[in-house]
């Protein structure tokens, strides 16, 4: 059968119904080509690179079964390429060493040192999984796994394994500062077995000089630190003296 297409008086093209159906079915059945992992990382990094420095205020909540710490008001300072400082306005913050990596720019401070491994899509969330494998054997980080929202070029979650500070996870929740890839809330999760207390602070897990099974059990639980940001001051300049 031969179809002839012509314009009517209003110059509107008449498409045969069968032909329209074929086009629609072809579009629906054609799989979308997945973005290369390298391109996704470039887009994520480009968004994070908008931030040269920031000063932020927030609330920090420590969820560790053997520590009763009140919700603290904190200030967070960041400056490229990887300077980060968290100050508790009222005293000591019980923050594991690895939590300084709550700033995602630290992951890409020197991207050439990593090999990228494409893990496809997470079956539950649909997020793209990309793994960063350091090329240098001396790196403290053994492996970082990123769960990325491709459409928005945002890292939603990371899992990191280190040589000396155990493994930890980060979950990011975005809102007002999504344009800069800065989260409104960050949850840092870790195993309390790898928890290192601040200098000068100790906890006694022994009972009368004998090993305390309950204390050992507590130290092998999961813990977390949550930071809910109330505001950011972005690219206004942060002096180096803040990080000393």
């Amino acid at each position: 059968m031969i179809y002839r297409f012509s314009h009517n008086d209003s110059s509107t093209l008449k498409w045969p119904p069968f032909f329209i159906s074929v086009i629609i079915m072809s579009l629906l059945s054609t799989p979308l080509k997945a973005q290369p992992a390298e391109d996704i990382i470039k887009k994520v990094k480009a968004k994070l690179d908008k931030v040269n420095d920031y000063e932020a205020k927030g609330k920090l909540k420590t969820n560790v079964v053997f520590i009763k710490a009140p919700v603290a008001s904190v200030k967070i300072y960041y400056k490229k390429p990887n300077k980060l400082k968290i100050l508790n306005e009222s005293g000591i913050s019980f923050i594991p060493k690895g939590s300084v990596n709550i700033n995602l720019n630290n992951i890409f401070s020197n991207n050439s040192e990593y090999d990228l491994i494409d893990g496809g899509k997470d079956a539950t969330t649909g997020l793209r999984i990309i793994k960063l494998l350091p090329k240098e054997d001396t790196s403290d980080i053994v492996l970082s796994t990123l769960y990325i929202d491709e459409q928005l070029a945002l890292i939603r979650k990371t899992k990191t394994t280190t040589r000396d500070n155990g493994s930890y996870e980060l979950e990011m929740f975005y809102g007002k500062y999504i344009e800069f890839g800065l989260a409104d809330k960050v949850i840092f999760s870790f195993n309390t077995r790898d928890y290192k207390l601040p200098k000068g602070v100790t906890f006694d897990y022994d009972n009368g000089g004998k090993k305390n099974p309950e204390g050992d059990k507590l130290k092998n639980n999961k813990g977390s630190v949550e930071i809910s940001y109330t505001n950011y001051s972005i690219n206004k300049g942060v002096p180096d003296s803040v990080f000393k």
Side-chain angles (χ1 to χ4, degrees):
M1 182 181 294
I2 300 176
Y3 290 102
R4 299 182 183 279
F5 306 106
S6 61
H7 292 278
N8 60 15
D9 295 338
S10 61
S11 299
T12 301
L13 186 62
K14 294 182 178 180
W15 297 90
F18 173 76
F19 191 74
I20 294 175
S21 298
V22 171
I23 293 176
I24 293 174
M25 292 302 295
S26 297
L27 291 173
L28 292 177
S29 61
T30 302
L32 296 176
K33 187 177 181 180
Q35 296 184 70
E38 293 82 358
D39 291 349
I40 296 173
I41 292 298
K42 285 180 181 178
K43 291 178 181 179
V44 170
K45 190 174 183 301
K47 179 170 287 190
L48 295 174
D49 279 344
K50 293 180 181 180
V51 180
N52 295 315
D53 57 66
Y54 68 72
E55 176 182 341
K57 291 184 178 180
K59 297 292 184 180
L60 184 147
K61 182 180 179 181
T62 304
N63 299 306
V64 179
V65 290
F66 54 85
I67 296 177
K68 295 187 181 298
V71 175
S73 295
V74 294
K75 286 186 177 180
I76 303 97
Y77 299 90
Y78 164 74
K79 187 173 184 177
K80 277 187 177 180
N82 55 11
K83 292 182 178 180
L84 186 79
K85 190 165 189 177
I86 302 174
L87 294 179
N88 186 338
E89 296 181 353
S90 60
I92 296 173
S93 292
F94 296 96
I95 305 173
K97 184 178 179 181
S99 62
V100 297
N101 293 308
I102 62 169
N103 177 64
L104 295 175
N105 266 304
N106 286 355
I107 297 175
F108 305 110
S109 59
N110 191 349
N111 196 42
S112 62
E113 294 183 357
Y114 295 90
D115 286 324
L116 301 182
I117 302 173
D118 193 340
K121 286 195 174 184
D122 182 82
T124 303
T125 63
L127 298 175
R128 189 68 171 271
I129 302 173
I130 298 177
K131 299 182 180 183
L132 303 182
L133 186 64
K135 293 182 179 180
E136 297 292 334
D137 293 336
T138 56
S139 174
D140 180 56
I141 295 178
V142 177
L143 177 68
S144 291
T145 303
L146 313 182
Y147 294 78
I148 300 174
D149 184 324
E150 293 183 69
Q151 184 177 0
L152 298 176
L154 289 173
I155 298 175
R156 298 285 185 180
K157 183 179 178 180
T158 71
K159 294 182 179 180
T160 303
T161 302
T162 69
R163 297 184 191 279
D164 300 321
N165 297 297
S167 299
Y168 56 86
E169 297 181 9
L170 283 173
E171 285 187 86
M172 278 67 64
F173 303 87
Y174 298 92
K176 186 177 179 180
Y177 302 94
I178 194 170
E179 176 188 353
F180 298 95
L182 295 175
D184 284 20
K185 182 179 179 179
V186 174
I187 300 178
F188 177 90
S189 303
F190 54 95
N191 193 312
T192 53
R193 178 187 63 240
D194 305 312
Y195 195 98
K196 294 184 179 181
L197 294 170
K199 186 177 181 180
V201 179
T202 60
F203 285 84
D204 187 6
Y205 295 105
D206 293 336
N207 185 9
K210 296 181 180 180
K211 197 168 183 64
N212 185 350
E214 290 302 317
D216 291 338
K217 189 183 297 184
L218 290 176
K219 288 192 286 183
N220 284 305
N221 282 344
K222 280 285 187 179
S224 68
V225 171
E226 299 179 18
I227 299 180
S228 298
Y229 295 85
T230 54
N231 63 70
Y232 286 90
S233 178
I234 303 169
N235 295 337
K236 302 295 183 181
V238 175
D240 290 332
S241 58
V242 168
F243 305 98
K244 295 180 179 179

